Structures are given as C-alpha cells and as structure tokens.
Amino acid sequence: MTAKTIMIQGTMSSAGKSLLVTGLCRLFHREGLRVAPFKSQNMALNSCVTGEGLEMGRAQAVQAQAAGIEPSVLMNPVLLKPTSDHQSQVIVQGEVWDTMDAREYYRRKAELIPCVKDSFEKLAEQEDLIIIEGAGSPAEINLRENDFVNMGMAAIADAPVLLVGDIDRGGVFAQLYGTMKLLEPEEQKRIRGFIINKFRGDPSILEPGLRELEEKTGVPVLGVLPYLDVHVEEEDSLYEPRDHSGEVNVAVIRLPRISNATDFLPLEEEEHIRLRYVTKAQELEDPDLIILPGTKSTMQDLNWLRSVGLDARIQQHARRGTPILGICGGYQMLGREIRDPGGIEGWDFMRGLGLIPMVTEFQKEKTRTVVAGTMEPVEGFWSCVSGRKVQGYEIHMGMSDFHGGEAFSRIGETEEGRVTGNIAGTYLHGFFEADELRTAVVNALCEKKNVVPSAARSFREEQERQYDLVADALQDHLDMDAVRRIIGLK
C-alpha cells in the first residue's frame, strides 16, 4: 500500500514549515495513523546518527519522534552541511557523497533525483501518511531546473501542497500572492490551501485581507496560527535561547560554524540556568561553566577563536578553575595539537588550547555511531557525573590520542572523552539529554552559587509535551477537516 501525502511549503525560509510538519506528525499519530516526515534536501549543521550508523538532518529525527517512530535516512535522503561560506559537504542516504561549491552542486543535482525517488518510494511502502517538507521557497525560480525540493518533489510524490506565510515578518499577503503568481500553472494547481503563521493579536482584523486573497487566487485560507511559545528543536544551525534570568551563568562559545547547537536545549530548559551564546571576549564575563560546542570546521573555528581573543580568556578561566566542557570539535580544540595530513580543512597542523593532553589527527573516514556508556570516576568538578549513565551519538572526522589526564567516560571497553582537573571533553552529542547526568551537573553548579536546585526533570517528557502543544494549536486554529479532505482521509 502506498502512503497518502501532503506537502508543506513556505514563502521563505523560517516561515514555520518544520514546526508545522512536527505538529501534523504528532496530530495524525494521535489519531492512530502511521505517519512519517520527509524532506528531500535539508541544509543544516544540526544532524544526528540513526541506529544503522547513518547521518540525517536532526529536524527530521525530531519530527519522527513526534510521529512516534524511529528516524530513518529515508526521511532525509540529501543533507547539505556547510563547511565554509562557499562549500558544503553533501550527504546522500546517510553517507558522505562529496564536498562541493554551490555551482558544482547544481550542475550535478540531477544525479540525486533517483536517490530521492528511491527513498520516498521505500518510505511510502511503510507508512499510511507522509508529510513532506519543502525548503526555502518554491518561488526561487532560478532553482527550478532539476528541482526535487519544492514543486519538483510535489510532482514526484503527486502531493497536494499547503503554502505557509510568516506574518511576523510582514507582507504576508504579498508573500502568498507573489509566490503563487511565480509558479507555473500546473504548479499553482497543486496549492490547495494557505496557512498564515506566527500571528499576534486578534485574527478577526485579517478577515478582509483573507477574503480578498482567496478571491484573487481561488485558494482557501485554512487557518491563522498564533505565534507559538514552544520549544521544539530547530532545523537551523542555531536557535535563539529562551530569554529568562537564571542564577547560574553558562556561556556557550558561538563558533561561526557551530553544529548541533541543540545539544544545549536540555540545559536551557533548567530553571536556574541562564544560557548565553558568546562571540566576543568581553561577552564571556564570569561564567560558571564554559562550553565549546561542536563545529563543522574545527581548525577554521579555532583560528577564529584566536582572532577574537576568546582563546586567551578561556585559558585564563581554566587557570582560575572554571569548569570547561568541549563537545566534538570543541573537544578537539581543547587538546595540544590538531593534525590534518590529508588537508581536509586546509591546514596541516594547528596548535590547540593546550588544556587537555591529547593530539587529534583528522581522517577521511567519518565516525558515525550511536553509543551508550558510563561516566568514569574522576576528580574535580566533573566528579559530579561519576558513575552516571550517558548516551548519545558521535559524528566526527578525527581520532584523538591521549598523553595524560583521566578517562571521562567509557563506551564498553573503549575510553571516550578525557578530563584534566575541571576541564573535560567528549565526542558525544546529546550529552545533556541524560536526565540524571544533566541534573548532577546543574546541581553541582547550583551548589557553587548557593542556589537551591529544582526537582529533576525528564527532558524526553518535556519534548513530548511540546509536540502535543503544537498539535493542539493546529487542531484549534486550522481547518483540519479541510486538511483531511485534501489528503484524502475523508
């Protein structure tokens, strides 16, 4: 049986497509359907590893979680991970295909259409309903040739389309009308409804505009969604942290090519944590914890760290005893040396921050694995997590050789991570999703600030609650009967 389909396209990037797909996945999952997300091409530095050891966009993994199913690379056959302002690593069906600039990618894009079709068809054989997400805008007419992302994907899947506009940015009627008029007649026929997203205020004031838009286009407006104060992981490389004042000051270094910034969402959910992203030495202030996050280009971002003076400030805090944690690329930066004999990042050698006694050497083969392990007994601040269970996934190109310090965590018989005093590093993304481990870190930070910690929270339960909040909003503010008719469920 082939799944039914519907596609969510937007008038621009960040119109709310990903959140809408997440909400629809949860809503139809609650109705008992086997539903799956699908995005043929995703450009993001937030990625994850499936149980098979394959890499995919984290946004589709989150949508799969909302749908109550395991993530699969079939849901995101093409992932573009920018390595610089001009190039991206191209991951196809979970494996690295090549690294190329935009011109070469668009020249070779047609080669990927069979992979996209194959992934979609296999997924369609397994599910009742597939909710497809577009990318950017279908009105990017310069990219129409060999398109498999927006209307090209709708044609491959023979899917009806709902077009989403972002009223928070202004000009939503022009967004929707203009997008329609730039499409080919056959493409216009696929658009079966408009959705206005991120509205603040009384939606009745929109009524005259909504009616005129429907008259001019012949397409119904299926609903006006309010601006939702929910915390669901974003597709883009960095979400904006929630603005709340906490007593514990956690500074995350906002590297230019930061990846998997969603690693810190569990920390942000903690009541006493004030999470800040720092790009300048003077912004570092006097943090209780410094985190060096993952990055797609470790050596380039380490070079940037030095150019803005953050390297010296981090080293200064290390001497004072401030706890520091490096994750993935940030972990590699904490070592003594980074070697790149194959020229993967363009430097043969770079001196690290010298805070952990290790040397990292880049290799052409990427490590991709889901792991679970136990934190080792250590001294200093990080003794707070000794013996705690940890799980996550690794995505990195380097192998690290240790010349001192203590093992930080252990995966089976293999050491993973290193700690020296109050400075620790790990290759594990998702480190803070382990509730007991995260609670231990937060409590230790609170103790240093003489703050009474809050009760432990389940990050997974909070995620599930957020998915339900989005689904409830769609149920309340969209004409879901019309959506079901468009899909063919009624």
Side-chain angles (χ1 to χ4, degrees):
M1 177 180 173
T2 300
K4 296 183 182 300
T5 60
I6 192 164
M7 187 169 191
I8 308 300
Q9 296 185 15
T11 57
M12 62 178 75
S13 295
S14 298
K17 299 183 293 292
S18 295
L19 190 65
L20 190 56
V21 170
T22 302
L24 288 172
C25 281
R26 172 48 60 99
L27 196 156
F28 286 115
H29 168 62
R30 293 193 313 201
E31 294 181 0
L33 292 176
R34 276 196 57 86
V35 55
F38 182 88
K39 186 167 186 175
S40 55
Q41 175 192 291
N42 194 344
M43 176 176 278
L45 287 174
N46 287 342
S47 64
C48 71
V49 176
T50 68
E52 299 83 14
L54 299 173
E55 190 173 1
M56 65 180 288
R58 189 161 171 94
Q60 281 64 61
V62 167
Q63 291 162 352
Q65 189 179 60
I69 59 176
E70 290 297 314
S72 163
V73 291
L74 296 177
M75 302 169 185
N76 175 216
V78 180
L79 174 63
L80 307 180
K81 299 186 74 173
T83 57
S84 69
D85 293 340
H86 306 289
Q87 287 193 317
S88 291
Q89 184 182 75
V90 183
I91 296 167
V92 178
Q93 293 182 325
E95 309 253 14
V96 175
W97 185 45
D98 206 344
T99 298
M100 59 187 74
D101 60 25
R103 186 176 296 276
E104 183 182 3
Y105 177 73
Y106 286 110
R107 181 177 61 81
R108 298 181 62 185
K109 193 168 66 167
E111 297 175 39
L112 298 175
I113 294 176
C115 298
V116 169
K117 287 182 176 179
D118 176 68
S119 293
F120 177 79
E121 288 169 0
K122 286 178 178 176
L123 192 64
E125 291 172 359
Q126 303 171 11
E127 311 298 339
D128 300 323
L129 171 63
I130 298 179
I131 303 175
I132 308 168
E133 181 181 341
S137 164
E140 292 166 344
I141 53 179
N142 56 311
L143 305 179
R144 180 173 285 148
E145 185 178 6
N146 294 320
D147 170 51
F148 58 78
V149 178
N150 287 304
M151 284 300 175
M153 186 62 230
I156 290 171
D158 193 21
V161 175
L162 304 183
L163 183 64
V164 185
D166 179 359
I167 196 170
D168 195 53
R169 297 192 185 189
V172 72
F173 297 115
Q175 292 175 35
L176 295 166
Y177 181 82
T179 298
M180 276 285 292
K181 293 304 177 182
L182 283 172
L183 299 178
E184 296 293 333
E186 288 304 309
E187 295 173 335
Q188 292 181 20
K189 292 177 183 177
R190 289 199 177 275
I191 296 186
R192 303 288 299 280
F194 293 138
I195 298 172
I196 292 178
N197 195 22
K198 305 181 187 179
F199 182 71
R200 308 172 194 252
D202 181 358
S204 66
I205 66 174
L206 296 177
E207 284 299 323
L210 301 181
R211 301 292 78 80
E212 186 171 345
L213 179 66
E214 290 178 336
E215 290 170 6
K216 287 181 178 294
T217 63
V219 175
V221 177
L222 300 182
V224 177
L225 289 174
Y227 198 104
L228 297 177
D229 183 21
V230 294
H231 235 208
V232 173
E233 291 187 21
E234 300 284 354
E235 173 181 87
D236 295 331
S237 62
L238 187 65
Y239 60 88
E240 289 301 322
R242 187 176 298 177
D243 185 17
H244 69 82
S245 58
E247 301 92 333
V248 177
N249 181 346
V250 176
V252 179
I253 307 302
R254 186 172 184 162
L255 301 169
R257 297 163 188 85
I258 186 172
S259 65
N260 288 69
T262 51
D263 280 343
F264 315 115
L265 184 57
L267 272 182
E268 188 189 335
E269 296 291 337
E270 295 288 340
E271 179 183 359
H272 298 292
I273 298 294
R274 180 166 72 97
L275 192 73
R276 301 182 301 116
Y277 284 101
V278 172
T279 58
K280 300 175 183 176
Q282 58 268 33
E283 293 175 348
L284 196 55
E285 300 174 359
D286 189 19
D288 300 300
L289 171 64
I290 298 172
I291 300 177
L292 275 164
T295 166
K296 191 65 189 72
S297 300
T298 301
M299 298 175 90
Q300 291 185 58
D301 279 357
L302 178 55
N303 196 45
W304 168 86
L305 198 74
R306 291 197 166 102
S307 73
V308 297
L310 274 166
D311 61 330
R313 291 295 302 276
I314 292 170
Q315 289 165 328
Q316 183 183 59
H317 277 283
R319 290 191 293 270
R320 291 179 184 171
T322 302
I324 297 172
L325 176 68
I327 296 178
C328 200
Y331 172 34
Q332 294 171 340
M333 292 181 188
L334 292 174
R336 290 174 180 167
E337 299 176 7
I338 301 174
R339 299 171 182 172
D340 187 11
I344 293 170
E345 290 199 14
W347 281 273
D348 293 332
F349 166 89
M350 188 171 285
R351 178 173 48 86
L353 296 177
L355 300 178
I356 292 179
M358 73 176 187
V359 174
T360 297
E361 184 169 304
F362 289 155
Q363 299 174 335
K364 291 187 177 180
E365 291 298 317
K366 180 183 283 193
T367 296
R368 301 184 308 261
T369 182
V370 176
V371 295
T374 305
M375 305 305 296
E376 292 283 277
V378 298
E379 301 294 327
F381 173 82
W382 295 104
S383 64
C384 65
V385 298
S386 295
R388 306 287 181 180
K389 299 296 183 183
V390 64
Q391 60 186 24
Y393 53 93
E394 296 184 26
I395 311 173
H396 58 92
M397 305 282 288
M399 299 296 291
S400 296
D401 184 23
F402 307 115
H403 301 275
E406 301 176 273
F408 189 39
S409 57
R410 195 167 295 278
I411 308 300
E413 298 299 317
T414 305
E415 177 184 330
E416 197 291 320
R418 206 71 174 170
V419 62
T420 303
N422 287 345
I423 302 155
T426 176
Y427 274 117
L428 291 186
H429 294 290
F431 182 78
F432 288 112
E433 292 184 21
D435 293 330
E436 289 187 4
L437 182 149
R438 182 184 67 258
T439 299
V441 173
V442 171
N443 288 354
L445 291 169
C446 285
E447 184 178 342
K448 289 180 64 178
K449 300 283 285 192
N450 294 317
V451 173
V452 178
S454 302
R457 306 172 67 176
S458 166
F459 178 64
R460 180 59 185 265
E461 287 179 6
E462 180 59 24
Q463 285 181 305
E464 295 294 326
R465 190 178 76 86
Q466 297 295 319
Y467 301 149
D468 281 327
L469 287 174
V470 180
D472 290 344
L474 301 189
Q475 187 69 66
D476 291 343
H477 297 280
L478 290 188
D479 184 348
M480 287 306 303
D481 284 339
V483 173
R484 293 182 183 93
R485 285 194 294 272
I486 289 168
I487 294 172
L489 295 174
K490 293 193 74 169

